[in-house]
Amino acid sequence: MLRYLTAGESHGEALVGIVEGMPAGVPVTPSDLDEHLSRRWLGYGRGGRAKFEKDRVSVLGGIRFSHTMGSPIALLLPNAAYEKDRTGWPEKMAVTGDGEGIEKITLPRPGHADLVGAQKYGFDRPPHGPDVRAVIDRSSARETAMRVACCSVARQMLRALGIEVGSHVVRLGEVGLDDPSEWIEARDALLAEGGARALYEAADKSQVRMLGDELSDATVEHIKATKKAGDTLGGVYEVVATGVPVGLGSYAQGDRRLDGRLAQAILSIQAQKSVEVGDGWLAGRTPGSQVHDPITRDDSEGVARWGRTSNHAGGVEGGISNGQPLVVRGTMKPIPTLIKPLATADLESGEAQPTRYERSDVTSVPAASTVAEATVAWEVAVALLERYGGDTFETLRERLEADRARGL
């Protein structure tokens, strides 16, 4: 019922997105989408592109008078690097012509899609290769800019229904925390104050999107030392969704399980390598008496309201949301483009060589955490529409509020 598609290359003229299946009447303006696009550039240790990309999305269709119309929503996001980079991208990424005289990139970088993408799509051999530029430009994380824009449409629908999504970084390289008990108090205080929105607003104040000045300062120093060494860093972040009703997802089929879909959403982001829901890997090391969340019931308001005394499950039981905050953590690997080159082999000659350097960041874990927010928001929106349906936002809201009134 709800899907999006992105198109375009990292150094092409623009990125394009289509959002289909959004109910009519959802309040959305371009500035709502730009808010999260700007957050995608957050984080100490970003590369040179962050200096001139000022992402502002244009809405070409599907929204009228600040509300969705129920028709496909068309989005356009220009790439400032296309003109401002001064390295000839209009010629290198030309739609027409035969590429004569354009430098061919024949050194695939370890850890990237370069080699496997070239092998899959034929760019490792004539007539379109050897040249991995086409792979580099579409597999690039620049694609996530349009993904954030598309998902932010769904995020506005969730916000209008009292559902928020936020995140924070818990580890960056060797600096950070591993056990949720080490940050749960600070996180939950923010959730109680203003839901997941308060969480992401607090994290955004840190150069590395961490909760706590001491941890943030230590992480910045770690990034500086890593850059000096010519290396890169990965890390771990946590995404939380609040206001999520009971009953999203299903145990009836594997592909309908909400936790499985959230995991896929995280791993669909470039360079993400693992996902955990709730306590995740820690649950495998802990006795069941400390893992499963005791159930409570409150009838004081004349309605049976069920709850839990803890949230080790991360808001999902049996593939279905249980009314607690959704908690998902993702791990991003270190960026594989290093100042100090790794070994590779030339696609044309077969000769062993060091990799060429493409402009890159030391780390983009803080940015990845904001992209993960977007993809989690999208999956929640999909599951919400599957449960409640409705061609109009008013119908969706009425059905959701009816469930909330009876304790869900």
Side-chain angles (χ1 to χ4, degrees):
M1 290 191 298
L2 185 61
R3 65 173 181 163
Y4 69 89
L5 293 171
T6 71
E9 285 70 48
S10 178
H11 295 95
E13 189 170 355
L15 299 174
V16 176
I18 295 286
V19 176
E20 186 178 37
M22 189 63 57
V26 176
V28 181
T29 66
S31 62
D32 296 325
L33 313 184
D34 291 342
E35 173 195 357
H36 298 294
L37 283 170
S38 65
R39 295 180 58 239
R40 182 182 161 277
W41 288 109
L42 293 173
Y44 186 85
R46 301 304 305 272
R49 190 161 185 175
K51 296 177 181 178
F52 53 77
E53 288 287 2
K54 304 298 181 185
D55 290 333
R56 297 290 184 272
V57 70
S58 295
V59 178
L60 305 182
I63 296 177
R64 184 169 186 257
F65 302 143
S66 303
H67 289 79
T68 59
M69 297 190 292
S71 52
I73 299 166
L75 305 176
L76 178 70
L77 186 63
N79 288 322
Y82 182 71
E83 296 287 356
K84 294 185 178 181
D85 212 358
R86 300 183 184 279
T87 54
W89 292 117
E91 291 75 34
K92 291 179 180 180
M93 300 301 295
V95 174
T96 59
D98 59 9
E100 186 68 28
I102 301 298
E103 177 192 15
K104 297 183 183 299
I105 309 302
T106 59
L107 295 177
R109 298 163 299 170
H112 280 278
D114 297 2
L115 179 57
V116 291
Q119 291 171 320
K120 176 177 176 62
Y121 292 108
F123 299 121
D124 62 332
R125 58 193 183 275
H128 303 296
D131 185 3
V132 300
R133 170 55 65 193
V135 181
I136 292 174
D137 255 64
R138 179 55 189 173
S139 65
S140 166
R142 175 62 183 163
E143 180 269 344
T144 63
M146 181 48 71
R147 199 188 310 202
V148 167
C150 291
C151 293
S152 293
V153 177
R155 192 167 183 166
Q156 286 304 115
M157 181 183 76
L158 296 182
R159 174 165 289 176
L161 296 170
I163 301 170
E164 292 283 356
V165 184
S167 69
H168 63 116
V169 175
V170 297
R171 169 166 291 279
L172 222 162
E174 297 178 3
V175 179
L177 309 172
D178 295 314
D179 190 324
S181 65
E182 298 177 279
W183 66 79
I184 191 171
E185 184 176 347
R187 181 200 71 193
D188 287 357
L190 290 165
L191 299 183
E193 173 189 318
R197 185 171 186 169
L199 174 63
Y200 83 66
E201 288 177 344
D204 287 355
K205 294 175 182 177
S206 161
Q207 292 188 82
V208 287
R209 303 206 70 247
M210 285 180 159
L211 302 180
D213 294 339
E214 186 175 336
L215 188 59
S216 295
D217 292 344
T219 302
V220 168
E221 292 305 312
H222 185 32
I223 293 171
K224 290 178 180 177
T226 301
K227 182 177 182 179
K228 187 175 182 179
D231 219 326
T232 59
L233 295 171
V236 182
Y237 54 82
E238 181 177 73
V239 181
V240 181
T242 54
V244 178
V246 175
L248 304 190
S250 176
Y251 54 74
Q253 294 291 347
D255 62 354
R256 295 179 61 194
R257 297 180 71 96
L258 182 62
D259 43 4
R261 287 157 62 167
L262 292 172
Q264 194 278 334
I266 296 293
L267 290 180
S268 74
I269 304 168
Q270 293 86 334
Q272 312 309 296
K273 300 302 290 185
S274 73
V275 184
E276 52 184 344
V277 179
D279 280 0
W281 67 271
L282 188 63
R285 305 177 53 177
T286 310
S289 58
Q290 299 175 39
V291 170
H292 303 296
D293 305 307
I295 295 173
T296 63
R297 174 169 166 149
D298 182 359
D299 296 306
S300 61
E301 298 178 1
V303 176
R305 297 193 181 277
W306 298 87
R308 309 293 188 279
T309 60
S310 55
N311 190 24
H312 299 295
V316 184
E317 293 172 315
I320 302 172
S321 62
N322 64 12
Q324 299 291 100
L326 295 181
V327 180
V328 188
R329 280 181 292 280
T331 300
M332 181 180 186
K333 69 181 180 180
I335 293 170
T337 300
L338 307 179
I339 296 175
K340 291 185 176 180
L342 297 172
T344 188
D346 191 287
L347 282 173
E348 191 165 30
S349 68
E351 180 184 353
Q353 292 189 35
T355 53
R356 70 194 298 273
Y357 181 69
E358 291 270 335
R359 180 186 56 219
S360 182
D361 306 329
V362 177
T363 183
S364 57
V365 175
S369 65
T370 68
V371 178
E373 286 179 20
T375 61
V376 166
W378 182 268
E379 290 303 325
V380 172
V382 170
L384 194 75
L385 284 173
E386 285 177 351
R387 177 162 172 78
Y388 295 104
D391 292 319
T392 69
F393 177 68
E394 290 75 12
T395 299
L396 171 64
R397 181 165 53 190
E398 288 172 4
R399 292 172 179 173
L400 174 59
E401 290 304 323
D403 258 6
R404 283 175 169 164
R406 63 188 187 91
L408 300 180

